[in-house]
Amino acid sequence: MRCVLVTGAAGFIGSHTALVLLNDGYKLFLLDNFSNSSPKALHHVADLSILTKEELGERVSIINGDVRDSALLQNIFSRAKSNGEEITSVIHFAGLKAVGESFEKAIDYWDNNVAGTIKLLQVMENNACRNIVFSSSATVYGSSKEKALIETDPISPINPYGLTKATIEKMLANIAGCQSTRIAKQYSPRGWKIACLRYFNPAGAHPSGKIGENPKNIPNNLFPLINQVAIGTKEFLTVFGKDWPTPDGTGIRDFVHVMDVAEGHKAALDILISSKPQLLIINLGSGKGTSVLDLIKKFQFSTGIDIPFKFSSRRQGDSAISLANPSKALEYLNWKPKRKIEDICRDSWNWQYKNPMGYK
Ligand SMILES: NC(=O)c1ccc[n+]([C@@H]2O[C@H](COP(=O)([O-])OP(=O)(O)OC[C@H]3O[C@@H](n4cnc5c(N)ncnc54)[C@H](O)[C@@H]3O)[C@@H](O)[C@H]2O)c1
């Protein structure tokens, strides 16, 4: 059976990906320290899966722990081996992700994201596991570009969070024996199979409304904030900046449905498993830009709920436009998003409406 360790599995993208992989026949070791998530997310994943209780017992292990804990990681690999199984791939979601917070807590970001990945890679190497799908981010590209970003564009992150992601990509390229993080597909002479997926703006939720985005801290992303206004826990949405060099003056983002992102992980994992050692660096985005004002309109139209908003000054670390050129994802992963911005608005609200307190 294909056995995969998923770090940060209870988080927003991890939980949706776990569901897709479970339904596709993978056996999963789901690790999370629940610093930004709830174990309930994983119970809901189990409920949503097509597996019977018995199959779930055989195919899912939930581990409460930290990716920086090498002994724990080794224990997960050893226990699998002692049961006659071998973890041959890792999907690495665990990490801190709030751009604003990364300025105030830069050391925590380097520790969680970079040191955490080093510990993980050491244990993987010790167990001859050299397949990894890594959660990278569009933030590695840096400040605003007018055109859609392609994998060969310069790497120049403008915030500590993006810098940690760019550093991890460089470390992975180096370990794989590859020259650059500006080439979408390279052969790895060191036998590693690595996919760095640069997500743009994952949003939405599983259409059931049973799993979704549930940050424990003050949310940084637009959708949880819009949802809070829609549900009435926030009076209005703050729109950071109305003087960006965009047609309506607000930032433009590339929203991609979290189920599409989850399916992108399965596509990447399947490709890595079945092909020669390689380093893939791939954008996961829709290629369609939506401004903040546009998004407010679309959300109101899809849900019928009014979203009051107020402008504020630009936020540190933000950029005017962040838009993917997703052509390499189609070429190398045979992946393209199936869902539209309207689906994102509807599913995101459905999750919030059915779970006003998140997983609490
Ligand atoms: N959501 C986005 O907009 C976005 C965009 C680009 C990249 N990413 C990256 O994708 C990954 C997943 O993002 P998400 O939106 O699901 O975030 P999330 O916070 O919902 O999920 C991350 C999970 O990792 C766990 N975690 C954090 N540090 C850990 C540690 N040291 N050990 C074990 N578990 C730990 C958290 O509890 C959480 O469940 C992150 O690495 C993030 O940086 C996210």
Side-chain angles (χ1 to χ4, degrees):
M1 196 179 285
R2 297 163 298 171
C3 296
V4 183
L5 168 63
V6 184
T7 75
F12 174 44
I13 306 170
S15 54
H16 291 78
T17 304
L19 177 62
V20 169
L21 295 179
L22 266 185
N23 285 347
D24 195 56
Y26 280 92
K27 175 171 172 115
L28 302 182
F29 295 82
L30 304 173
L31 173 72
D32 207 298
N33 67 1
F34 303 111
S35 57
N36 198 35
S37 56
S38 159
K40 281 191 188 155
L42 296 177
H43 300 140
H44 290 196
V45 166
D47 289 347
L48 282 173
S49 80
I50 56 172
L51 305 190
T52 62
K53 249 196 178 146
E54 201 179 29
E55 288 169 325
L56 283 167
E58 285 162 10
R59 297 249 305 273
V60 183
S61 299
I62 297 176
I63 305 123
N64 180 350
D66 198 292
V67 77
R68 292 163 293 181
D69 182 346
S70 304
L72 171 72
L73 292 178
Q74 182 50 53
N75 191 267
I76 297 170
F77 276 86
S78 303
R79 259 194 305 149
K81 249 177 220 154
S82 67
N83 288 334
E85 288 153 347
E86 198 176 346
I87 298 174
T88 48
S89 307
V90 173
I91 303 189
H92 181 34
F93 294 107
L96 303 180
K97 65 163 183 176
V99 167
E101 186 189 61
S102 75
F103 285 96
E104 291 133 40
K105 298 186 176 171
I107 297 175
D108 289 350
Y109 274 69
W110 285 98
D111 184 35
N112 245 280
N113 296 3
V114 180
T117 305
I118 293 174
K119 299 275 185 201
L120 176 65
L121 291 168
Q122 282 169 333
V123 174
M124 287 176 66
E125 175 71 3
N126 290 342
N127 290 276
C129 170
R130 297 195 185 88
N131 292 1
I132 180 167
V133 180
F134 167 62
S135 295
S136 189
S137 161
T139 54
V140 299
Y141 291 117
S143 61
S144 174
K145 308 279 183 305
E146 261 133 55
K147 63 177 188 59
L149 292 157
I150 187 136
E151 290 81 351
T152 46
D153 278 333
I155 303 302
S156 55
I158 55 170
N159 52 63
Y161 165 70
L163 202 51
T164 65
K165 293 290 182 186
T167 302
I168 296 167
E169 282 194 355
K170 283 192 180 144
M171 186 167 70
L172 289 168
N174 180 263
I175 287 166
C178 299
Q179 296 304 317
S180 169
T181 57
R182 291 180 59 191
I183 302 173
K185 181 175 174 160
Q186 297 161 80
Y187 171 67
S188 162
R190 304 227 178 98
W192 279 81
K193 298 180 175 190
I194 299 173
C196 296
L197 303 181
R198 292 177 178 163
Y199 320 145
F200 278 67
N201 287 76
H206 188 271
S208 65
K210 288 199 113 197
I211 51 174
E213 191 166 10
N214 179 218
K216 276 193 178 167
N217 308 321
I218 299 164
N220 192 61
N221 292 349
L222 198 46
F223 267 94
L225 290 167
I226 290 193
N227 275 330
Q228 287 188 350
V229 178
I231 202 88
T233 50
K234 240 176 113 62
E235 207 185 322
F236 58 87
L237 179 75
T238 305
V239 177
F240 295 102
K242 58 175 174 181
D243 54 354
W244 293 103
T246 61
D248 68 16
T250 64
I252 290 180
R253 293 292 175 270
D254 180 329
F255 295 99
V256 53
H257 198 291
V258 66
M259 286 304 295
D260 282 323
V261 174
E263 287 161 12
H265 285 76
K266 186 189 114 49
L269 194 59
D270 289 347
I271 295 273
L272 289 185
I273 289 172
S274 64
S275 53
K276 280 192 289 200
Q278 60 181 328
L279 170 65
L280 293 171
I281 297 194
I282 306 283
N283 288 342
L284 285 193
S286 67
K288 295 188 177 77
T290 308
S291 77
V292 180
L293 289 184
D294 255 359
L295 182 67
I296 293 172
K297 277 188 212 138
K298 290 203 158 97
F299 188 92
Q300 291 182 149
F301 184 76
S302 303
T303 63
I305 297 167
D306 190 39
I307 302 293
F309 63 91
K310 286 187 186 168
F311 286 110
S312 156
S313 51
R314 293 180 184 186
R315 197 169 50 172
Q316 191 184 23
D318 273 352
S319 57
I321 303 173
S322 177
L323 179 63
N325 175 332
S327 60
K328 295 291 179 200
L330 184 60
E331 185 178 347
Y332 295 131
L333 305 182
N334 195 25
W335 175 90
K336 67 174 180 189
K338 295 181 196 142
R339 296 145 182 106
K340 298 196 184 102
I341 187 75
E342 289 77 11
D343 301 317
I344 296 177
C345 292
R346 187 202 56 228
D347 293 340
S348 166
W349 170 241
N350 182 44
W351 150 255
Q352 178 71 57
Y353 177 72
K354 288 184 174 159
N355 308 273
M357 305 293 286
Y359 290 109
K360 273 185 207 139

